[in-house]
Amino acid sequence: METVTQGAQANAVPQGEQATAVSEARAAILNAVVPVAPTEIVQIKAALGRVLADDVHARVNVPPHDNSAMDGFALRGSELKAGKVSLRITGVALAGKAYAGVVGAGECVRIMTGAVMPADCDTVIPHELVGNIAEDRIEFDAIVLRAGANRRCAGEDLKAGAVAVPAGKRLMPADLGLLASIGIPEVVVSRVLRVAYFSTGDELCAPGETLRPGCIYDSNRFTLHGMISRAGHEPLDMGVIPDHPDQIEHALRTACTSADAVVIAGGMSEGDADHTRHMLARLGKVAFHKVAMRPGRPMAFGALEIDGNRAFLFGLPGNPVAAMVSFYFFVAPALEKMAGGQVRPPPVAWVPSAQYIKKRPGRTEFQRGVVESDELGWQIVRITGNQGSGVLRSMSEANCIIVLDHDQAEVKVGEWIKVLYFQGLV
Ligand code: AMP
Ligand code: MG
């Protein structure tokens, strides 16, 4: 990837130079950013969606003791010889109230799910497998059970000392429960990353304003707000900035004093970018990139350093779908790394295409898709209507993004293609 760094060099990007592949651009950006957020301690409920700063080790075994997985009767596995087994019930073990006695040969203890296994017992027969239950005796066929059945062993979920949740994990509901299960009330997390963003364009009006002649409403600030917030960062709205380098510079100066990262949407294409290039090159090590993708293509990225304040800058194309796609594929992983998080490729699914899709090798295409069931109940994916890079509706109607890789050619009906769902269980 071409990385222009300083001053006039940034202006020397040759027109029409070879575009960088998406994977290469993504790797270069990801490689350039560094974790910036210091840490803080929060209660585990408040840690939902936060990035864990240090590995958390289990202080206790989970479960802490051998216990029953079923309601039934605890017994010694050695009782399970061929034929009928008849055992005397000598007591009861409840969850939270262990049976203190000894269980001898020919004996058993009534036991509830989660109750500590009585000493000497290693097996539980669930109620439904017992042939005969009398007041003080049970009978069943030995063949229905094997020794050791229905016992959960101490430490079988997690051993004391093992890593329960690794550093860099963005905590999900299961993690909160897991932390609680090892008795941990609070954790060290990275401070929420502050991400300033603004739209640029003389043609932009804010919703609520009367639309001036020849103007359009600004949508990018709102999709950016949504994407930044959903990614777990703090969004700082810097408003709409006119296409004027001094005003953009002023906005960047302000953003740099309070934010870890700044996202600008608009004004990155060749015509617009000339002033912006000069100005950004003055403010830091910012390079312009042409990425071989659709929608998307023009992008700026680099480190700003203004009056001793540092922030990473991401300049996105102004077309609303292009801005979103560029955010998801370049900015989101970089912000995650800056926030101290583990960056993993998003989970993909492969689904047969319901239609022919035109595509030429040599660039990555991100189409907006709807995965739905066909008449037999199988999942298929179709593209939403107009795929123009300005058509936000295509994004709103979609439930996934179809990724057609750099080298891929046209897609035939029924061919399996890669989709990234917008929503999952989190
Ligand atoms: P630009 O990247 O600034 O050249 O803008 C490309 C296209 O996207 C133009 O049609 C702009 O009017 C449109 N656009 C730029 N910014 C926004 C925005 N914030 N909201 C809606 N459309 C925008
Ligand atoms: Mg513009």
Side-chain angles (χ1 to χ4, degrees), residues 314-387:
F314 302 88
L316 307 181
N319 264 316
V321 180
M324 286 194 80
V325 167
S326 305
F327 183 93
Y328 281 131
F329 288 88
F330 301 109
V331 187
L335 294 180
E336 191 62 7
K337 183 175 171 193
M338 291 175 68
Q342 298 163 340
V343 181
R344 296 226 175 90
V348 300
W350 291 84
V351 182
S353 177
Q355 68 204 91
Y356 169 85
I357 306 174
K358 199 168 154 204
K359 158 81 168 68
R360 64 171 171 79
R363 69 177 179 207
T364 306
E365 290 192 13
F366 301 92
Q367 308 248 350
R368 279 70 77 198
V370 179
V371 173
E372 56 197 2
S373 298
D374 68 9
E375 40 318 330
L376 295 174
W378 296 102
Q379 300 249 284
I380 49 166
V381 60
R382 62 174 170 85
I383 53 176
T384 56
N386 184 344
Q387 295 288 303

Side-chain angles (χ1 to χ4, degrees), residues 178-416:
L178 184 58
L179 290 165
S181 77
I182 52 175
I184 289 185
E186 55 191 26
V187 285
V188 185
V189 294
S190 302
R191 166 175 69 61
V192 174
L193 202 68
R194 292 192 277 256
V195 184
Y197 59 96
F198 54 89
S199 296
T200 65
D202 292 336
E203 76 282 29
L204 302 177
C205 291
E209 283 176 12
T210 309
L211 203 56
R212 298 185 302 273
C215 290
I216 56 169
Y217 284 119
D218 167 25
S219 57
N220 285 339
R221 266 186 315 135
F222 300 87
T223 46
L224 284 171
H225 166 85
M227 292 186 294
I228 293 166
S229 312
R230 277 287 177 91
H233 315 299
E234 184 186 347
L236 304 172
D237 185 350
M238 309 280 303
V240 176
I241 312 294
D243 281 318
H244 194 285
D246 291 347
Q247 301 208 37
I248 297 175
E249 177 171 342
H250 182 259
L252 286 173
R253 282 185 185 281
T254 315
C256 234
T257 59
S258 51
D260 305 298
V262 190
V263 182
I264 316 179
M268 293 297 139
S269 24
E270 246 149 48
D272 305 320
D274 289 343
H275 311 292
T276 324
R277 268 177 207 202
H278 280 299
M279 183 259 300
L280 288 176
R282 225 170 356 97
L283 298 178
K285 296 182 174 179
V286 177
F288 276 76
H289 307 288
K290 277 186 182 171
V291 186
M293 64 190 280
R294 198 170 96 158
R297 196 165 168 87
M299 250 190 71
F301 166 72
L304 296 176
E305 177 139 17
I306 309 177
D307 306 332
N309 298 306
R310 310 180 106 243
F312 282 99
L313 172 105
F314 302 88
L316 307 181
N319 264 316
V321 180
M324 286 194 80
V325 167
S326 305
F327 183 93
Y328 281 131
F329 288 88
F330 301 109
V331 187
L335 294 180
E336 191 62 7
K337 183 175 171 193
M338 291 175 68
Q342 298 163 340
V343 181
R344 296 226 175 90
V348 300
W350 291 84
V351 182
S353 177
Q355 68 204 91
Y356 169 85
I357 306 174
K358 199 168 154 204
K359 158 81 168 68
R360 64 171 171 79
R363 69 177 179 207
T364 306
E365 290 192 13
F366 301 92
Q367 308 248 350
R368 279 70 77 198
V370 179
V371 173
E372 56 197 2
S373 298
D374 68 9
E375 40 318 330
L376 295 174
W378 296 102
Q379 300 249 284
I380 49 166
V381 60
R382 62 174 170 85
I383 53 176
T384 56
N386 184 344
Q387 295 288 303
S389 65
V391 186
L392 250 192
R393 189 176 151 197
S394 69
M395 208 67 177
S396 170
E397 286 174 1
N399 62 12
C400 68
I401 293 185
I402 299 167
V403 182
L404 303 176
D405 283 327
H406 192 87
D407 296 325
Q408 188 165 351
E410 60 176 18
V411 174
K412 299 187 187 71
V413 176
E415 196 175 324
W416 293 73

